[in-house]
């Protein structure tokens, strides 16, 4: 074959390949890789056929929807900015998965013309914001009233768009956020616990969400368990807004859950339901675990956050509260932690304690020892099955790098602990360090909250910090609590306005429950 014939053959093949891809078919070009881009988009491409189903099936709390045209130069220039933000929330490598679903629709494609018309698109790009399900079978008009779909008005750069999102949900996400924490490489860094305040808030809210979704308060027994846990949170949760939210639920519990039978849905005819309350406030970001973030979406997170919450509660109680805190935590896990094997193992360890705790030190060291036993058991299972987090394998806590004085001696098989040093370390790490370092390094939006938390930590709580009507019940055996709780709930109705008024002061609930014995008798 001559060289001329060879060139003609190559030309014909090229024309045939070009003819197989219709002009303007950008989606096909993207699919077969002719756009020469190796970078995978993080924003989800929507069209008229999958629009409703993607939003309907999304588990994200919020969504951003961009309408653009592929022929628009401004849209092409904006795409890298949009993708920077989408990378934080979308895809397997998302830094904050499950918070915001980032999507886009190409209005230049004929199949999307009617969809774009429904949203009155008259320029490109145009961005909207709403919970995902609000976009399902929906539309938008410029002068539409009472629409739950908002126009994003600050979007021209990645920084502006992310700042706008942060304002909407009360978060503090940054474009430089990293997916993995630095716990293992920098395990001697005490300041990492400063991030845990976010995790404690989120774990508290997530635990409450699980109770709501499963309607887990079903009887006077589970109602009493929930009340006691709220009492513990009101007094000792390290986050001010979680203490406030817990108090609001506590003082309204009679109306929400008469005889332990809670109203969860408005359809049941109830004027007020548990679903109307947020134990740590309605703006707590979800999927924002920092100290407890795993290298895989299915590892760490909530379970780690719950452990940190329990440790942070244990180091804040006083001697007279240790047995109450112990039974309250045990009952809460037994009634409301829905991993059955984990719940049963924890319950067994609770039952193994035969002598009542008398000192705050007792509950702090018991919870620490229990956590290490759980880690030892899970480590063996995870290593044999390959189900652990490769970047955060289970370990005995604290490691020598963090607390060398905690170790008297150690071998591969056993560790001889200095329990006095361990206690001092835990008190400082989950108490003072968690709040004071966070206070120094936190974002400005949360500084005021942490200052209040740090000040309230210094308030002495010599008496048991629970609602007045429940004081007698806590002094008695737990089996008698149910009967006395009825008395407390009756008295509580008359104290609602009193508690809420007192809670608004600087001392909040701490002062309300820190009265002398004579004052308590007078109130009774």
């Amino acid at each position: 074959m001559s060289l001329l014939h060879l060139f003609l053959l190559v030309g014909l093949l090229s024309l045939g390949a070009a003819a197989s891809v219709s002009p303007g078919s950008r989606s096909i070009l993207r699919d077969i890789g002719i756009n020469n881009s190796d970078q995978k988009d993080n924003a989800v491409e929507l069209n008229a056929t999958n629009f409703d189903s993607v939003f309907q099936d999304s588990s994200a709390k919020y969504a951003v929807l961009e309408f653009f045209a592929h022929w628009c130069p401004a849209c092409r220039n904006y795409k890298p900015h949009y993708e920077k933000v989408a990378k934080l929330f979308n895809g397997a490598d998302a830094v904050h998965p499950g918070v915001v679903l980032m999507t886009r629709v190409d209005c230049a494609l004929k199949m999307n013309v009617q969809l774009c018309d429904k949203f009155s698109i008259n320029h490109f790009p145009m961005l909207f914001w709403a919970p995902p399900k609000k976009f399902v079978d929906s539309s938008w008009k410029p002068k539409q009233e009472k629409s739950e779909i908002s126009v994003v008005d600050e979007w021209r750069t990645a920084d502006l768009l992310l700042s706008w999102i942060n304002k909407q949900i009360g978060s503090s996400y940054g474009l430089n956020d990293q997916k993995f924490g630095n716990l293992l490489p920098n395990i001697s860094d005490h300041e990492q616990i400063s991030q845990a305040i976010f995790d404690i808030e989120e774990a508290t809210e997530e635990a409450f969400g699980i109770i709501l979704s499963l309607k887990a308060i079903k009887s006077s027994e589970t109602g009493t368990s929930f009340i006691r846990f709220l009492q513990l949170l009101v007094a000792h949760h390290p986050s001010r807004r979680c203490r406030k939210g817990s108090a609001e639920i506590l003082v309204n519990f009679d109306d929400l859950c008469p005889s332990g039978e809670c109203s969860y849905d408005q359809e049941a005819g109830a004027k007020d339901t548990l679903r109307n309350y947020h134990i740590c406030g309605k703006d707590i970001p979800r999927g924002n675990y920092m100290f407890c973030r795993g290298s895989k979406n299915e590892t760490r997170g909530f379970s780690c956050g719950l452990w940190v919450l329990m440790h942070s509660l244990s180091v804040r109680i006083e001697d007279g509260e240790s047995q109450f805190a112990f039974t309250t935590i045990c009952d809460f896990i037994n009634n409301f932690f829905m991993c059955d094997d984990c719940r049963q193992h924890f319950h067994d360890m609770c039952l193994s304690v035969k002598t009542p705790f008398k000192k705050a030190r007792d509950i702090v060291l018991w919870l620490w020892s229990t956590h290490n036993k759980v880690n030892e058991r899970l480590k063996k299972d995870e290593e044999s099955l390959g189900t652990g987090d490769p970047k955060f394998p289970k370990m005995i806590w604290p490691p020598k790098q963090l607390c060398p004085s905690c170790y008297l001696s150690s071998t591969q098989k056993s560790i001889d602990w200095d329990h006095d040093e361990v206690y001092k370390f835990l008190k400082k790490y989950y108490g003072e360090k968690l709040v004071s370092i966070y206070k120094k390094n936190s974002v400005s939006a949360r500084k005021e909250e942490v200052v209040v938390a740090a000040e309230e930590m210094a308030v002495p709580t010599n008496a048991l910090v629970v609602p007045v009507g429940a004081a007698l019940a806590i002094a008695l055996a737990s089996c008698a609590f149910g009967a006395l709780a009825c008395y407390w709930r009756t008295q509580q109705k008359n104290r609602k306005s009193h508690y809420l008024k007192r809670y608004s002061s600087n001392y909040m609930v701490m002062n309300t429950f820190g009265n002398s014995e004579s004052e308590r008798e007078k109130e009774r």
Side-chain angles (χ1 to χ4, degrees):
M1 181 182 291
S2 68
L3 188 60
L4 177 61
H5 287 102
L6 182 61
F7 278 128
L8 287 173
L9 180 59
V10 171
L12 287 171
L13 290 173
S14 300
L15 287 172
S20 68
V21 180
S22 59
S25 182
R26 300 301 175 107
S27 60
I28 295 177
L29 290 175
R30 280 195 295 269
D31 288 342
I32 64 177
I34 296 180
N35 63 348
N36 295 321
S37 174
D38 294 328
Q39 187 172 1
K40 185 180 184 298
D41 290 349
N42 290 286
V44 179
E45 297 257 356
L46 302 179
N47 55 52
T49 61
N50 68 0
F51 186 87
D52 284 349
S53 62
V54 169
F55 284 123
Q56 183 66 52
D57 295 339
S58 175
S59 60
K61 194 171 183 180
Y62 308 99
V64 176
L65 171 60
E66 178 199 12
F67 288 97
F68 74 103
H70 63 251
W71 49 257
C72 165
C75 298
R76 290 198 296 270
N77 291 335
Y78 180 61
K79 182 179 178 181
H81 291 277
Y82 195 72
E83 282 293 325
K84 278 185 182 179
V85 179
K87 187 177 180 181
L88 293 174
F89 303 112
N90 287 17
D93 295 324
V95 183
H96 306 294
V99 182
V100 181
L101 176 67
M102 303 288 291
T103 65
R104 59 162 62 97
V105 172
D106 187 351
C107 292
L109 300 181
K110 287 184 179 180
M111 67 184 303
N112 294 332
V113 170
Q114 290 185 348
L115 176 60
C116 296
D117 286 345
K118 286 176 65 177
F119 284 84
S120 307
I121 304 304
N122 55 18
H123 63 271
F124 302 115
M126 198 169 178
L127 278 65
F128 295 89
W129 167 270
K133 290 177 176 55
K134 299 300 179 183
F135 285 114
V136 177
D137 195 26
S138 190
S139 62
W140 182 86
K141 302 294 181 186
K143 296 182 180 180
Q144 184 175 339
E145 295 182 1
K146 298 181 180 179
S147 175
E148 295 184 80
I149 298 175
S150 306
V151 176
V152 180
D153 52 14
E154 296 178 14
W155 54 266
R156 292 188 179 277
T157 66
D159 285 315
L160 282 175
L161 178 57
L162 186 57
S163 177
W164 190 91
I165 291 172
N166 282 332
K167 289 177 185 176
Q168 307 310 306
I169 61 178
S171 57
S172 56
Y173 302 131
L175 293 174
N176 295 322
D177 287 358
Q178 300 295 311
K179 182 173 181 181
F180 308 134
N182 296 320
L183 185 57
L184 288 183
N186 298 316
I187 204 162
S188 61
D189 182 4
H190 277 268
E191 297 200 5
Q192 290 183 57
I193 193 64
S194 66
Q195 301 177 62
I197 192 74
F198 299 101
D199 298 20
I200 292 171
E201 289 179 331
E202 183 167 355
T204 306
E205 190 69 35
E206 190 165 347
F208 185 56
I210 292 171
I211 290 172
L212 292 180
S213 63
L214 298 177
K215 300 181 179 180
I217 303 174
K218 301 175 180 178
S219 64
S220 58
E221 179 185 352
T222 51
T224 297
S225 175
F226 185 62
I227 287 171
R228 288 160 66 91
F229 196 68
L230 286 176
Q231 291 168 352
L232 198 59
L233 299 187
V234 167
H236 299 303
H237 200 292
S239 165
R240 177 177 176 268
R241 57 180 170 181
C242 294
R243 294 196 301 275
K244 184 174 184 291
S246 300
E248 288 173 350
I249 298 173
L250 187 61
V251 298
N252 287 287
F253 192 82
D254 251 4
D255 300 326
L256 298 169
C257 303
S259 303
E261 296 181 5
C262 296
S263 298
Y264 295 94
D265 304 305
Q266 294 288 4
E267 290 77 8
K271 294 180 180 179
D272 204 7
T273 75
L274 269 181
R275 293 191 192 280
N276 294 341
Y277 291 80
H278 296 273
I279 201 165
C280 289
K282 62 181 180 180
D283 295 323
I284 292 292
R286 303 300 292 269
N288 189 40
Y289 287 107
M290 298 175 69
F291 180 80
C292 285
R293 186 175 302 147
S295 64
K296 299 190 292 184
N297 288 342
E298 66 270 19
T299 60
R300 306 188 82 212
F302 172 60
S303 58
C304 169
L306 193 60
W307 273 114
V308 178
L309 169 62
M310 292 191 293
H311 286 301
S312 69
L313 292 172
S314 73
V315 301
R316 284 167 171 78
I317 65 170
E318 298 294 332
D319 286 347
E321 305 168 85
S322 55
Q323 183 63 20
F324 170 75
F326 166 70
T327 57
T328 297
I329 289 172
C330 286
D331 287 345
F332 183 82
I333 296 298
N334 189 46
N335 285 310
F336 302 117
F337 194 71
M338 301 308 173
C339 171
D340 196 53
D341 281 351
C342 306
R343 179 194 60 78
Q344 188 58 54
H345 280 294
F346 194 89
H347 185 58
D348 290 342
M349 287 187 285
C350 290
L351 292 178
S352 68
V353 177
K354 304 301 182 183
T355 305
F357 293 147
K358 296 180 180 179
K359 299 287 185 180
R361 180 181 185 273
D362 297 336
I363 179 65
V364 172
L365 290 178
W366 177 83
L367 197 60
W368 158 76
S369 175
T370 298
H371 196 171
N372 274 338
K373 289 175 182 176
V374 170
N375 277 355
E376 281 188 292
R377 179 176 60 83
L378 291 179
K379 183 180 181 181
K380 293 177 182 178
D381 294 340
E382 291 176 354
E383 286 178 348
S384 63
L385 298 172
T387 55
D389 191 318
K391 291 186 177 291
F392 298 94
K394 295 291 189 294
M395 62 188 304
I396 298 302
W397 188 263
K400 277 189 176 181
Q401 296 96 314
L402 275 181
C403 185
S405 63
C406 293
Y407 289 71
L408 292 174
S409 63
S410 64
T411 64
Q412 288 186 339
K413 294 185 178 181
S414 65
I415 299 173
D416 188 11
W417 297 97
D418 185 328
H419 289 92
D420 289 334
E421 289 298 312
V422 171
Y423 176 62
K424 285 193 290 186
F425 167 81
L426 296 172
K427 285 277 287 185
K428 191 171 186 179
Y429 190 76
Y430 290 108
E432 175 191 336
K433 288 288 182 182
L434 189 151
V435 173
S436 63
I437 294 175
Y438 169 69
K439 174 183 172 183
K440 181 177 68 175
N441 295 335
S442 66
V443 293
S444 59
R446 296 187 179 184
K447 279 185 178 177
E448 182 180 349
E449 172 187 320
V450 181
V451 170
V452 174
E455 289 173 350
E456 290 187 359
M457 281 180 62
V459 177
T461 53
N462 297 322
L464 187 55
V465 188
V466 293
V468 178
L472 287 175
I474 296 164
L476 300 175
S478 59
C479 61
F481 185 90
L484 289 171
C486 295
Y487 164 75
W488 168 66
R489 288 199 291 267
T490 301
Q491 297 300 311
Q492 181 179 297
K493 285 186 176 179
N494 300 324
R495 295 191 181 109
K496 279 185 183 179
S497 59
H498 169 69
Y499 282 152
L500 292 176
K501 183 177 179 181
R502 294 289 292 275
Y503 196 90
S504 64
S505 67
N506 287 336
Y507 290 105
M508 303 298 176
V509 177
M510 291 290 192
N511 268 9
T512 304
F513 305 131
N515 299 326
S516 65
E517 284 297 324
S518 60
E519 287 173 327
R520 277 194 233 142
E521 286 298 327
K522 196 179 298 181
E523 283 193 331
R524 290 194 195 103

